[in-house]
Amino acid sequence: MAVWNPDNIKDVAESIGIASLNDDVLQALSSDIEYRLSQVLEEALKFMRHSKRMTLTTQDVAQALRVLDIEPLYGYESTRPLRFGEASIGPGQPLFYVEDEEMDFEKLINAPLPKVPREISLTAHWLAVEGVQPSIPQNPTPADSRNQDLVPKGPGANPTLAATSGSDNVSVKPLVKHVLSKELQLYFSNVCSAVLDENNDEYRAAALASIRTDPGLHQLVPYFVNFVAEKVTHNLKDLFVLTQTMQLTSALLENKHLYVEPYIGPIIPPVLTCLVGRHLGSSSDPLSHHPLRNIAAALLGSMCKKYAKSSHTLKPRLARTCLKHFLDPTKPLGSNYGGIIGLQAIGGTEVVRALILPNVKEYEGLLREPLEDEGSPKHAEAEAVLTALIGALQTLEDDALPRMNGVANGNGEGQRQRLEEKVGPLVAGRVLQMGRPQFVKALLNA
């Protein structure tokens, strides 16, 4: 015997236009309804027990319907208990309903009307005219501005004490005074002056050693980063200042006690400037800036090794920038040199094989003219670039040595032709002059 009354099913069927239903159909539908209700209640009881409650709520039923992928019950949750009334529609058939609050129309009609809201409007006024604030109602009065100046600023400030003090000579200290202790401020100023002291090597070395090993410099890291960026930006003609800022950056990165990873983004631009900058230094020696570029390349390589895993776009972005300066014919040879050594430092053999080797033959055309003219001021720079290019290609030999089974003859005419087709006649000639068959074979097999 079914618990669910089949007459309810018959009433619902008649309400949607089904006049008559077979008794077997009614029995099957009532059994299915009982099963579905028990399934919903079992899931709702699980939510109740997991919530450590002894009372089943409507929220438990709603969660059960969601779990069973059944359309939820629509409505709203009441913050107060609902009052149910009972009405009889026949013998033994009570009808329950929610009692609605009765409204007295007389009170509603006689209640005062709410105020009419103001119409939305926009007005424009001058905040200041040529630096002078006009005295209009929309702007703060001088008294308000004076009271605002008296409010203490910074962490730990107490506005109540300042308001009751009545002092007119309150000096607001910069925020840095509240963040850094006097000892750290003194340390920062002394280290910065020592790093840029060109006449005292011992003082400068001691400052860099302190930055490299001191464990208590966490608060000073952003200040050192800003110091490096500022000095590089305003001293592109001073190789000493640029070199010392790179040494300072290297010391920060070598300090195992500092968490420098959040500052890698601001550190990279000054390092790239020292690596691929167009005109660095003002010396007449065309190779005077190469040591600076070598330091910057080593810094990029160090950052890529340490932080490439946490920042997956670091190496691709740096490689793209260095490749652009390597292949751009409008850039000076110094920038080309920085691009080559930067690519080598960033990715080693993989980057040399993928980005440098395929472009050597095309690039050597830029070096041929200054190399042939020994009296040209660019001759020394072109030689340095060619040396850096061959140095980068030599990493392919170091990588290929464990895989070589024999030694190739590097003097064959056919092999020379293949090498020229691979890297161009200029680089091929220099490589063959070195007399290293393994190097030749590594280039041909790369």
Side-chain angles (χ1 to χ4, degrees):
M1 179 178 178
V3 177
W4 190 264
N5 192 352
D7 293 338
N8 293 335
I9 303 175
K10 186 181 294 185
D11 293 340
V12 174
E14 290 176 354
S15 65
I16 61 175
I18 302 176
S20 61
L21 280 178
N22 193 346
D23 293 340
D24 295 336
V25 175
L26 290 175
Q27 190 67 30
L29 288 174
S30 62
S31 300
D32 186 69
I33 291 174
E34 292 176 13
Y35 169 73
R36 301 297 177 187
L37 286 176
S38 63
Q39 188 180 20
V40 171
L41 288 176
E42 286 178 4
E43 293 293 334
L45 289 173
K46 290 180 183 178
F47 282 100
M48 180 192 74
R49 285 192 289 269
H50 283 295
S51 301
K52 309 296 183 183
R53 286 185 281 102
M54 300 298 295
T55 304
L56 189 68
T57 64
T58 56
Q59 191 65 26
D60 296 330
V61 178
Q63 295 290 349
L65 293 175
R66 180 179 299 177
V67 168
L68 296 174
D69 199 17
I70 301 175
E71 187 176 5
L73 299 175
Y74 297 103
Y76 60 92
E77 296 181 2
S78 176
T79 56
R80 58 184 178 83
L82 300 177
R83 295 184 301 171
F84 293 92
E86 182 180 354
S88 178
I89 60 174
Q93 293 185 357
L95 176 65
F96 295 93
Y97 62 94
V98 178
E99 293 184 353
D100 294 328
E101 183 180 357
E102 295 183 358
M103 299 294 297
D104 190 348
F105 278 102
E106 187 175 352
K107 290 183 180 180
L108 190 63
I109 293 173
N110 295 329
L113 295 176
K115 294 182 178 180
V116 178
R118 293 183 178 181
E119 186 178 357
I120 298 176
S121 60
L122 299 175
T123 58
H125 68 90
W126 288 101
L127 180 63
V129 179
E130 295 183 357
V132 179
Q133 191 177 65
S135 298
I136 56 177
Q138 290 86 349
N139 289 335
T141 62
D144 295 336
S145 301
R146 185 165 54 254
N147 293 335
Q148 185 65 26
D149 292 338
L150 293 177
V151 175
K153 298 175 177 61
N158 192 333
T160 306
L161 294 178
T164 57
S165 63
S167 175
D168 292 336
N169 299 320
V170 178
S171 60
V172 180
K173 297 182 179 180
L175 184 60
V176 66
K177 299 290 185 181
H178 300 280
V179 175
L180 296 179
S181 63
K182 291 184 178 179
E183 292 80 6
L184 281 178
Q185 294 179 50
L186 183 61
Y187 176 87
F188 177 74
S189 60
N190 288 339
V191 166
C192 291
S193 60
V195 167
L196 300 180
D197 189 353
E198 195 171 356
N199 300 320
N200 195 334
D201 295 341
E202 185 178 355
Y203 190 31
R204 189 166 64 249
L208 293 176
S210 175
I211 297 175
R212 195 174 287 112
T213 57
D214 200 321
L217 304 180
H218 298 279
Q219 291 181 306
L220 290 178
V221 173
Y223 296 92
F224 281 127
V225 172
N226 289 335
F227 172 77
V228 169
E230 180 183 356
K231 292 302 177 182
V232 170
T233 303
H234 297 95
N235 295 275
L236 292 178
K237 299 297 182 181
D238 192 337
L239 284 178
F240 174 78
V241 173
L242 296 178
T243 303
Q244 291 311 118
T245 54
M246 292 298 101
Q247 296 286 1
L248 175 59
T249 305
S250 176
L252 287 174
L253 294 175
E254 292 176 11
N255 193 327
K256 299 179 181 179
H257 306 284
L258 299 181
Y259 183 54
V260 190
E261 186 173 350
Y263 305 98
I264 292 300
I267 288 175
I268 286 177
V271 176
L272 280 177
T273 301
C274 293
L275 176 67
V276 295
R278 294 182 64 91
H279 303 291
L280 300 178
S282 57
S283 174
S284 58
D285 183 5
L287 303 182
S288 60
H289 51 83
H290 283 204
L292 171 64
R293 297 184 192 272
N294 293 333
I295 296 174
L299 281 176
L300 282 187
S302 174
M303 286 188 284
C304 287
K305 289 179 181 178
K306 286 185 178 180
Y307 308 110
K309 293 183 179 179
S310 57
S311 178
H312 300 291
T313 60
L314 178 62
K315 288 178 70 173
R317 287 190 289 114
L318 292 177
R320 193 180 303 115
T321 301
C322 292
L323 182 64
K324 176 183 176 182
H325 286 80
F326 165 43
L327 298 178
D328 192 348
T330 63
K331 301 290 184 183
L333 291 176
S335 296
N336 299 154
Y337 175 85
I340 294 171
I341 62 175
L343 286 172
Q344 180 183 356
I346 289 168
T349 307
E350 297 179 1
V351 173
V352 171
R353 182 181 290 109
L355 298 180
I356 295 182
L357 182 60
N359 297 299
V360 170
K361 185 177 181 180
E362 179 183 356
Y363 175 75
E364 76 162 18
L366 300 176
L367 299 177
R368 186 172 293 109
E369 182 178 350
L371 286 174
E372 292 175 353
D373 186 6
E374 296 186 1
S376 171
K378 294 184 178 180
H379 178 77
E381 279 193 281
E383 283 286 352
V385 173
L386 183 59
T387 303
L389 197 57
I390 295 177
L393 295 177
Q394 286 179 6
T395 59
L396 300 176
E397 177 189 6
D398 300 335
D399 183 64
L401 277 177
R403 300 195 298 268
M404 287 185 179
N405 296 323
V407 177
N409 184 8
N411 298 322
E413 197 63 34
Q415 195 172 54
R416 182 185 185 93
Q417 185 178 359
R418 290 172 53 203
L419 190 61
E420 289 181 355
E421 293 176 356
K422 185 90 171 181
V423 297
L426 182 61
V427 176
R430 292 295 182 94
V431 171
L432 292 174
Q433 287 177 7
M434 297 170 66
R436 294 165 59 177
Q438 290 97 341
F439 187 18
V440 176
K441 186 176 180 180
L443 290 177
L444 293 176
N445 294 335

